[in-house]
């Protein structure tokens, strides 16, 4: 991929996301048509450059769309609406990484290393510290938090790589359950027309239960590692403890104020968590870096995001756009009725069984390299949960928890790929072998937990 191609893809991708935010605020029809043109141009440019697997999946969805159009009532207006339907997801994926500039320009990593260094001899405390660190940074950095927290774990010199992989993988995946800054939440809330407060607190409680369960799954490995560490001296890091405490406190302030402003905008003005997050991501890092007299660093990081990060996300972004079109056409085709007829006929009176079917449905497609974005889009746009004896909120939680559960064992996810590369462990070991018990625990817990709200 040449230099200018990357620049063009980055600019167009950012313009799509930025224009969607502006459109939400001003509701301009001209801007809406411009968005459609930009999306088509983006897809035309990126499709020939996609990895073979992603290209085949995208072309398969496009062929399926053409096939369904023969027997559907979809017209041109529906097609243009469909190609724009996942713009909230596209925008949050493109814009929220800008929040990572707060971390990269703030000198927080060394301070976090100091705090990690002070507790690493206690593996149980270390587990919770790294779990919450991955959670907190995951809100800002998405999968980038895995790389940073792996660097923090280097201080601890963990002998068992499975401990490292399980903490990073599962702490990140459970962030998907509740974080409004993640694509999964954005997609589900948008398609089901919900607010974060409709499902967020139940998702947070479930996340805590899962993390406690994960602690007990890892207990034997943690205990064995603790035995190895009992006679090993800690490694000092040359940084003043008071200084590191101030830096960690500043980081907590940044995270807290960012979340507070986001919820304030959403509750009082915008009533859209996606738009609130995007506005905060566009403005907050720029203002903070200006206050801290680091605007030059901000400009460099922004250019890196525009011309490197966004072009590198072309695989996912193309899937999101085409999956949105696929879902729109599907719900106006006869195939939606056939799917509902099958599901209602077999599981209409058994909501718990339906929850398990959703998990297995998403998992089955994920194992053959069809990512959850496709199946969750399909389910969230075509299934009426009331027909299965559950509320829209419980259905949303079912999709979120299922997405996270499947991500833990799917070998084709970005999480598994990053961990496999960093730990130098086969990707099937990182995903399927290490996380099978965790996945089975989720299959057991998800129906039980959700049944409490039916």
């Amino acid at each position: 991929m040449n230099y200018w191609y990357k620049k063009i893809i980055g600019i167009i991708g950012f313009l799509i996301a930025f224009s969607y935010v502006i459109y939400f605020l001003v509701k301009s029809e001209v801007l809406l048509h411009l968005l459609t043109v930009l999306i088509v141009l983006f897809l035309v440019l990126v499709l020939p450059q996609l990895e073979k697997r992603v290209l085949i999946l995208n072309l398969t969805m496009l062929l399926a769309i053409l096939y369904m159009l023969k027997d559907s009532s979809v017209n041109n207006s529906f097609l243009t609406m469909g190609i724009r339907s996942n713009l909230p997801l596209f925008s949050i994926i493109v814009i929220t990484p800008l929040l990572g500039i707060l971390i990269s320009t703030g000198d927080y990593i060394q301070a976090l290393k100091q705090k990690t260094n002070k507790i690493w001899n206690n593996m149980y405390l270390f587990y919770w510290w790294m779990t919450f660190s991955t959670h907190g940074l995951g809100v800002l950095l998405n999968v980038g938090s895995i790389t940073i927290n792996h660097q923090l774990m280097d201080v601890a010199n963990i002998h068992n790589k499975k401990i490292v992989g399980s903490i990073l993988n599962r702490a990140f995946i459970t962030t998907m359950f509740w974080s409004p800054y993640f694509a999964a939440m954005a997609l589900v809330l948008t398609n089901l027309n919900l607010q974060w407060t409709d499902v967020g607190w139940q998702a947070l409680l479930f996340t805590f239960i899962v993390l406690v369960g994960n602690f007990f799954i890892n207990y034997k490995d943690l205990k064995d590692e603790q035995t190895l560490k009992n006679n090993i001296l800690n490694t000092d890091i040359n940084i003043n403890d008071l200084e590191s405490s101030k830096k960690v406190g500043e980081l907590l302030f940044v995270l807290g104020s960012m979340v507070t402003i986001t919820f304030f905008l959403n509750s009082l003005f915008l009533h859209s968590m996606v738009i609130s997050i995007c506005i905060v991501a566009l403005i907050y890092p720029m203002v903070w870096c200006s206050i801290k007299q680091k605007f030059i660093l901000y400009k460099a990081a922004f250019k890196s995001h525009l011309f490197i990060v966004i072009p590198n996300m072309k695989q996912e972004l193309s899937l999101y756009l085409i999956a949105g079109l696929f879902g729109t056409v599907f719900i106006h085709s006869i195939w939606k009725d056939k799917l509902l007829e099958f599901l209602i006929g077999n599981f209409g009176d058994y909501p718990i069984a339906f929850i398990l079917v959703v998990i297995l449905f998403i998992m089955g497609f994920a194992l053959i390299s069809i990512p959850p974005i496709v199946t969750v889009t399909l389910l969230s746009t075509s299934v009426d949960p009331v027909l299965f004896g559950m509320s829209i909120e419980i259905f949303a939680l079912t999709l979120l928890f299922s997405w996270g559960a499947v991500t833990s064992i799917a070998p084709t996810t970005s999480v598994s790929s990053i961990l496999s590369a960093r730990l130098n462990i086969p990707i099937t070991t990182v995903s399927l072998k290490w996380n099978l018990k965790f996945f089975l625990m989720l299959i057991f817990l998800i129906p039980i937990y959700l049944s409490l709200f039916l």
Side-chain angles (χ1 to χ4, degrees), residues 357-387:
V357 167
V358 169
I359 297 173
L360 295 175
F361 181 76
I362 297 172
M363 180 189 72
F365 281 96
L367 291 178
I368 58 173
S369 299
I370 297 178
I373 172 65
V374 177
T375 46
V376 172
T377 297
L378 183 65
L379 292 169
S380 61
T381 54
S382 59
V383 173
D384 182 358
V386 177
L387 299 175

Side-chain angles (χ1 to χ4, degrees), residues 175-315:
T175 311
M176 296 172 59
F177 292 165
W178 66 270
S179 175
Y181 295 85
F182 269 53
M185 183 68 78
L187 174 70
V188 171
L189 294 185
T190 300
N191 285 348
L192 297 180
N193 196 26
L194 293 171
Q195 293 295 316
W196 183 87
T197 49
D198 295 327
V199 298
W201 302 115
Q202 296 98 316
L204 274 170
L205 176 59
F206 182 72
T207 299
F208 178 74
I209 293 171
V210 170
L211 291 176
V212 172
N214 184 48
F215 174 79
F216 287 108
I217 288 176
N218 284 313
Y219 182 78
K220 185 180 183 301
D221 291 330
L222 292 171
K223 184 179 179 181
D224 292 342
E225 187 71 23
Q226 183 69 61
T227 301
L228 288 173
K229 287 185 173 298
N230 284 337
N231 297 319
I232 299 177
L233 295 176
N234 202 351
T235 303
D236 293 327
I237 293 180
N238 185 24
I239 183 171
N240 182 273
D241 188 48
L242 179 60
E243 180 186 344
S244 69
S245 297
K246 287 181 179 179
K247 278 294 180 182
V248 172
E250 184 178 294
L251 175 59
L252 292 175
F253 171 78
V254 168
L255 290 170
S257 59
M258 177 196 71
V259 172
T260 301
I261 294 170
T262 301
F263 277 90
F264 178 79
L265 289 174
N266 178 63
S267 301
L268 297 183
F269 299 107
L270 301 175
H271 305 295
S272 169
M273 184 59 76
V274 170
I275 299 300
S276 301
I277 291 168
C278 288
I279 289 175
V280 170
L282 286 167
I283 297 175
Y284 192 103
M286 180 171 57
V287 172
W288 181 259
C289 288
S290 299
I291 292 172
K292 301 292 288 185
Q293 298 181 336
K294 294 184 176 181
F295 192 72
I296 293 176
L297 295 177
Y298 171 83
K299 285 173 62 178
F302 182 84
K303 287 181 180 179
S304 175
H305 176 71
L306 194 62
F307 300 135
I308 297 175
V309 176
I310 295 177
N312 288 342
M313 293 192 294
K314 63 184 182 296
Q315 319 287 341

Side-chain angles (χ1 to χ4, degrees), residues 30-94:
V30 174
L31 199 54
L32 196 62
H33 294 310
L34 176 63
L35 272 168
T36 304
V37 173
L38 287 172
I39 291 169
V40 172
L41 180 59
F42 181 83
L43 288 174
V44 169
L45 288 173
V46 302
L47 282 174
Q49 299 292 332
L50 296 178
E51 296 175 3
K52 185 177 180 180
R53 177 181 61 87
V54 180
L55 177 60
I56 290 173
L57 180 55
N58 277 321
L59 292 178
T60 301
M61 283 194 289
L62 289 173
L63 289 173
I65 289 168
L66 292 174
Y67 179 78
M68 289 187 292
L69 284 174
K70 297 190 304 180
D71 302 307
S72 72
S73 58
V74 176
N75 54 34
N76 289 337
S77 63
F78 275 112
L79 289 176
T80 55
M81 181 181 69
I83 207 169
R84 297 191 302 260
S85 63
N86 271 347
L87 274 179
L89 182 62
F90 185 99
S91 300
I92 205 168
I93 286 291
V94 167

